[in-house]
Amino acid sequence: MAARAVLFDRDGTLVEDVPYNGNPSLVRPMPGAVAAVAAARAGGLAVGVVSNQSGIGRGLLTWDEVGAVNARVEEIFGGFDTWQVCPHAPDEGCGCRKPEPGMVLAACAELGVLPEETVFVGDIEADVLAAERAGTRSVLVPTPITLLDEVRRAGTVADDLPAAVRLVLS
């Protein structure tokens, strides 16, 4: 089944990972990311963001700070069709925090696409597992923080975000 939507992890995939970033001026796109998102849109795909933001649950960030960073991401990339953000700390046991599937399923529902028509692109195994648990396909784009074992276990791996989007569109 052809993809109708692509979901992206935010930190480490679309933009450089700045831990617990609440400062929009620190947002920097990953190499090739802006062109990759534009290519996905040009290919007729709905595009969305799925992001763990445990800094909220840990008391390190506010919703307003995360919203300001997300607004800066949209200034750089253009608007996304859905944003799914988990504010919970890892020990809260929610169903939305990756690797759980809640945000991926919510994004599919909001976009009106089936999970099997969706691909989730991320940089760590939690992204891949969230995709698998939701019934979507995944593409891992490793960064220096991605563990070698995570790369070995991933079904589909791309060197960078443009290559990942080419795979999604093929």
Side-chain angles (χ1 to χ4, degrees):
M1 184 173 290
R4 293 182 51 212
V6 61
L7 305 174
F8 298 97
D9 170 59
R10 190 188 83 178
D11 301 321
T13 302
L14 289 176
V15 300
E16 293 176 4
D17 187 9
V18 176
Y20 308 114
N21 183 21
N23 183 346
S25 71
L26 298 178
V27 174
R28 305 274 182 276
M30 293 294 283
V34 173
V37 172
R41 286 190 187 105
L45 299 177
V47 294
V49 180
V50 174
S51 183
N52 285 348
Q53 293 297 319
S54 69
I56 296 170
R58 297 172 197 250
L60 303 172
L61 291 171
T62 66
W63 272 106
D64 287 344
E65 289 170 323
V66 171
V69 168
N70 291 347
R72 178 66 183 134
V73 170
E74 287 208 334
E75 286 175 11
I76 294 168
F77 288 89
F80 287 90
D81 300 307
T82 185
W83 278 89
Q84 301 296 321
V85 176
C86 172
H88 303 108
D91 60 356
E92 290 186 60
C94 67
C96 53
R97 181 178 170 77
K98 297 176 293 181
E100 296 306 319
M103 288 190 291
V104 176
L105 293 170
C108 291
E110 186 173 323
L111 296 172
V113 297
L114 297 171
E116 56 267 23
E117 299 172 316
T118 306
V119 181
F120 183 32
V121 180
D123 66 318
I124 60 173
E125 190 169 52
D127 300 321
V128 172
L129 292 173
E132 287 176 2
R133 291 173 182 175
T136 70
R137 291 170 282 161
S138 67
V139 179
L140 181 71
V141 179
T143 67
I145 68 158
T146 311
L147 302 175
L148 186 56
D149 281 346
E150 293 178 341
V151 176
R152 287 185 186 127
R153 286 190 294 266
T156 304
V157 178
D159 290 336
D160 55 25
L161 206 54
V165 169
R166 285 192 298 274
L167 284 170
V168 173
L169 291 170
S170 65

